[in-house]
Amino acid sequence: MNFSVIIPSRTLSNLLPCIEAVRKHEPLAEIIVVDDGIDWTEAPLPWLQMVPPVTVIRGAKPFIFSRNCNLGIKACEGDVILLNDDALLETPFGFHEIEETSHAHPEFGVISAVTNVVGNLAQQPKDEGLREEPRTLAFVCVYIPRRTIALVGLLDERFTAYGHDDNDYCRRVRAAGLKLAIFDDCFVDHASLHSTFRGLPHTAGDIRAGREIYIAKWGTAS
């Protein structure tokens, strides 16, 4: 196993079930929490004594998703899984399956798990195995190999608003000659927890500010 699971979070009500789901299905995975203001006094003692331990690093304020993800990426050496704290892994050893698929298919620079609530409907389950995504991936749960980071770099921290930081990274990956993929054999539930930015799971987030940053950078919204 050569990946770390990076979870930016500010609320234990999301973080605890998110980590418990990872520990249930990937018991030995390294987990790095980027702390965006968590009240640790509310954490139950057994969780704080979890083995293997969870690494917690302090996030930067004000919260910028790309910046806090980058802090997590810098804190580890191998491949990374960027996991939203409102996403629950449900596939036993699903992250291992993505890792093996990524190593077998180096042409793919980012591979997404499938989920039930996501802006890109192609990321919902289709039972087709590994399939190419021609345009972009929503970063609910994505596997990014270290070779991609070495070639493309970190997430762009100019995306200070919600949304389009993932579109930007996917565009850079494609520009570098790599492909995007969706992997049906790893599922995360994105419908059970409240999102910090969207509220109720089926509520769409306001991505207008992020879209403006994207247009200013690329000159187009697509």
Side-chain angles (χ1 to χ4, degrees), residues 16 19-20 22-23 27 31 44-54:
L16 293 185
I19 288 179
E20 287 168 359
V22 174
R23 278 285 179 260
I31 298 174
L45 184 60
W47 188 88
L48 295 174
Q49 297 174 336
M50 186 175 289
V51 178
V54 172

Side-chain angles (χ1 to χ4, degrees), residues 9 16 20 39 46 55 57 59 62 84-85 89 97 101 106 116 126 129 131 167 181-182 190 196 213 220:
S9 184
L16 293 185
E20 287 168 359
D39 182 2
T55 299
I57 61 176
N84 285 6
D85 71 350
L89 176 64
E97 294 292 332
T101 300
N116 42 4
K126 295 183 181 296
R131 44 195 168 89
N167 299 63
I182 300 166
H190 198 216
T196 302
I213 297 171
T220 176

Side-chain angles (χ1 to χ4, degrees), residues 47-106:
W47 188 88
L48 295 174
Q49 297 174 336
M50 186 175 289
V51 178
V54 172
T55 299
V56 179
I57 61 176
R58 186 179 298 277
K61 291 288 190 179
F63 174 79
I64 299 172
F65 177 79
S66 55
R67 180 165 63 185
N68 279 4
C69 285
N70 288 343
L71 290 173
I73 293 171
K74 293 174 184 177
C76 61
E77 296 182 354
D79 300 347
V80 302
I81 292 173
L82 301 183
L83 179 65
N84 285 6
D85 71 350
D86 60 346
L88 304 172
L89 176 64
E90 291 197 352
T91 305
F93 300 104
F95 291 166
H96 269 90
E97 294 292 332
I98 297 184
E99 178 187 34
E100 292 181 1
T101 300
S102 175
H103 291 174
H105 295 275

Side-chain angles (χ1 to χ4, degrees), residues 1 72 77 155 178 187 196 199-200 203:
M1 180 171 59
E77 296 182 354
L155 278 68
L178 298 173
F187 176 83
T196 302
L200 293 173
T203 302

Side-chain angles (χ1 to χ4, degrees), residues 136-149:
T136 194
L137 297 167
F139 278 18
V140 176
C141 176
V142 292
Y143 190 100
I144 307 178
R146 186 59 59 166
R147 62 178 181 270
T148 297
I149 298 167

